[in-house]
Amino acid sequence: MTTIDTAAGAPRVAMISGASRGIGAAIAQELLSHGWAVSLGCRRPEEVVLDASLPVIACRYDALDPSTDEAWIDQTLARFGRLDAVVHNAGVMNPLSVLEASDEDFDATFDVNVKAPMRLTRKLWPHLVAGGEGRIVTLASLSAKRVKAERSSLYSMSKFAVLALAHGLRKCGEPHRIRSTAICPGFVATDMGTALTEVAPEQMTQPEDLARIVRTVLELPSSASISEIPVNWTVEDAY
């Protein structure tokens, strides 16, 4: 593959974690179809089928392995020469209550859902600043806004924390015109979503729905700062 020219008119570049399937893959496809260049962060990039005619690469990224942060960033810059946005999509759901969860369960959940996106953002921050108007999108959850079930309370704790991370990044980014937005979906028709409920997949929010929302947020000017967007497949009384 040839390196994309970073002159005026060159594609904007987004890094997407958890991009091999589901929501992450849908976001990647949406961005590619609208002129973005995309760097996919995947635990097994060798299993991802890429279209050689598109500005896309797949890199190894494991939320539990900090050494993959730098390698992914370096590979992205080597291929595209710039970085305009990051989409934090990788996550894990351990169906445990806050009383059932051990310290090890807590660490495993928070390491992936909270610590990993915070650490990755810290490392790539200088590149977002250099770009002039960087964008950060964090796939949180409606579980970041309410606790609906005992068995999802550990997960909710981590998502409340990652929502706070997204808001914290908004504050840090203000002087640099970097905008941070949290997307908070309910059940989505992915492997994870369909395993957690008996709602028919065709009734749920589709990954492509979220992908359109993410692209819209990424492409808005800095004069439109959006802190969070709740999205649900049905009407819920309150969050």
Side-chain angles (χ1 to χ4, degrees), residues 10-11 36 49 63-64 140 147 195 212 216:
W36 285 72
V49 178
L64 293 174
V147 181
R212 292 174 63 188
T216 298

Side-chain angles (χ1 to χ4, degrees), residues 33-49:
S33 65
H34 286 82
W36 285 72
V38 174
S39 177
L40 311 178
C42 316
R43 282 185 295 175
R44 291 180 289 276
E46 67 279 1
E47 297 178 2
V48 179
V49 178

